[in-house]
């Protein structure tokens, strides 16, 4: 158990819908990262937040957005869902925002878009 | 952009034997970090080992060790005394040491099978 929690574990929804994935980092960690794992694209970095502020962006679609709240939990919002958005979404956290910090991953949320 | 290549989609090894998983990467940076993550059937991503590019000494964690060849941009993982619990997907990952996105760049993974 990494100490990173994600809810829900599974999510099934329809095309065009909007969903919110939630992540709580390890106690004391200030940075949160979101990754997408799909059969087509593999593991891709989406976005990073550090202490409530956006720190870095990866291959995140405009239909996706994220935020980190004062209690440091983070939410990833996916809208206008398409079949291709079906994937495993991971949250990871690290102590600080430093590049040397190791990222610890949560168990993931499996999203199925029908 | 940096790329990470794992040329072995699948590897098989007998229990108690040693296996080496390959990883190469492409970068123009001199400062960076390399990682091996394990993903068992539970899908949890578990850190196996990390290596800082500025360190010449290869990292070791119990039965896991790396062979880091900076000039060749190679970062292989050696698993000694393989155990059934080592069966998983293994991902090599790169992180820039300065500039650019702060996320990890992953390879496509190697599926490791342990034969009893």
């Amino acid at each position: 158990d990494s100490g990173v929690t994600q809810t829900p574990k599974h999510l099934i929804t329809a095309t065009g819908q909007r969903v919110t994935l939630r992540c709580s980092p390890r106690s004391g960690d200030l940075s949160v990262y979101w990754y997408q794992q799909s059969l087509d694209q593999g593991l891709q970095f989406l976005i990073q937040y550090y202490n409530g502020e956006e720190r870095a962006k990866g291959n995140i679609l405009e239909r996706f957005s994220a935020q980190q709240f004062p209690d440091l939990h983070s939410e990833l919002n996916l809208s206008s869902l398409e079949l291709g958005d079906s994937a495993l979404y991971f949250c990871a956290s690290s102590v600080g925002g430093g590049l040397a910090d190791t990222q610890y991953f949560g168990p993931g949320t499996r999203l199925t878009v029908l | 952009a940096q790329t990470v290549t794992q040329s072995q989609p699948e590897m098989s090894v007998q229990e108690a034997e040693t296996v080496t998983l390959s990883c190469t990467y492409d970068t123009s940076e001199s400062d960076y970090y390399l990682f091996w993550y394990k993903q068992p059937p539970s899908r949890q991503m578990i850190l196996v080992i990390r290596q800082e590019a500025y360190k010449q000494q290869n990292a070791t964690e119990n039965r896991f060790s790396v062979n880091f060849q900076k000039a060749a941009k190679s970062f292989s993982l050696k698993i000694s005394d393989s155990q059934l619990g080592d069966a998983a997907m293994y991902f090599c990952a790169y992180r820039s040491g300065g500039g650019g996105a702060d996320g990890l760049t992953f390879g496509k993974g190697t599926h490791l099978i342990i034969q009893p």
Side-chain angles (χ1 to χ4, degrees):
Chain A
D1 185 358
S2 66
V4 179
T5 60
Q6 290 185 248
T7 56
K9 287 186 179 180
H10 302 278
L11 200 49
I12 300 174
T13 189
T15 54
Q17 295 298 305
R18 172 189 171 95
V19 296
T20 298
L21 312 184
R22 182 186 170 105
C23 167
S24 293
R26 295 186 317 160
S27 177
D29 284 2
L30 297 178
S31 268
V32 169
Y33 309 78
W34 287 97
Y35 291 86
Q36 179 195 59
Q37 185 177 29
S38 65
L39 287 175
D40 292 342
Q41 302 292 332
L43 269 159
Q44 288 195 105
F45 167 63
L46 298 178
I47 197 165
Q48 178 201 2
Y49 277 80
Y50 172 71
N51 204 20
E53 300 291 326
E54 182 183 303
R55 183 71 172 258
K57 263 187 174 179
N59 298 321
I60 189 166
L61 300 172
E62 287 192 8
R63 300 184 286 109
F64 296 0
S65 64
Q67 54 185 325
Q68 186 179 27
F69 295 87
D71 66 352
L72 300 177
H73 90 272
S74 178
E75 293 181 355
L76 179 66
N77 300 296
L78 315 176
S79 61
S80 302
L81 285 167
E82 302 174 359
L83 295 177
D85 297 327
S86 295
L88 189 55
Y89 290 85
F90 285 107
C91 168
S93 73
S94 66
V95 171
L99 295 167
D101 295 336
T102 294
Q103 297 177 31
Y104 295 92
F105 283 72
T109 293
R110 178 165 294 284
L111 173 66
T112 302
V113 182
L114 301 175
Chain B
Q2 293 80 19
T3 58
V4 177
T5 302
Q6 294 180 248
S7 59
Q8 306 151 316
E10 186 173 281
M11 292 282 286
S12 182
V13 64
Q14 292 284 338
E15 194 177 2
E17 296 295 307
T18 295
V19 63
T20 298
L21 309 184
S22 301
C23 172
T24 58
Y25 55 94
D26 185 23
T27 184
S28 58
E29 300 177 327
S30 59
D31 186 20
Y32 50 87
Y33 304 87
L34 297 166
F35 305 83
W36 280 98
Y37 279 87
K38 167 185 176 181
Q39 187 177 40
S42 67
R43 296 293 192 178
Q44 174 82 48
M45 293 290 289
I46 302 165
L47 177 67
V48 175
I49 199 164
R50 63 175 275 163
Q51 174 81 43
E52 291 81 359
Y54 63 84
K55 290 187 178 178
Q56 293 186 341
Q57 187 172 6
N58 290 322
T60 299
E61 289 287 344
N62 300 313
R63 298 182 295 107
F64 299 87
S65 61
V66 299
N67 183 6
F68 173 49
Q69 302 289 329
K70 192 172 184 179
K73 296 179 184 176
S74 171
F75 182 60
S76 61
L77 175 69
K78 186 172 83 170
I79 306 174
S80 304
D81 185 26
S82 297
Q83 300 176 1
L84 294 178
D86 295 334
M89 283 292 292
Y90 285 80
F91 293 94
C92 179
Y94 172 102
R95 190 179 194 192
S96 170
D102 289 349
L104 295 166
T105 299
F106 286 91
K108 295 288 188 186
T110 296
H111 181 210
L112 179 63
I113 298 168
I114 310 294
Q115 305 280 5

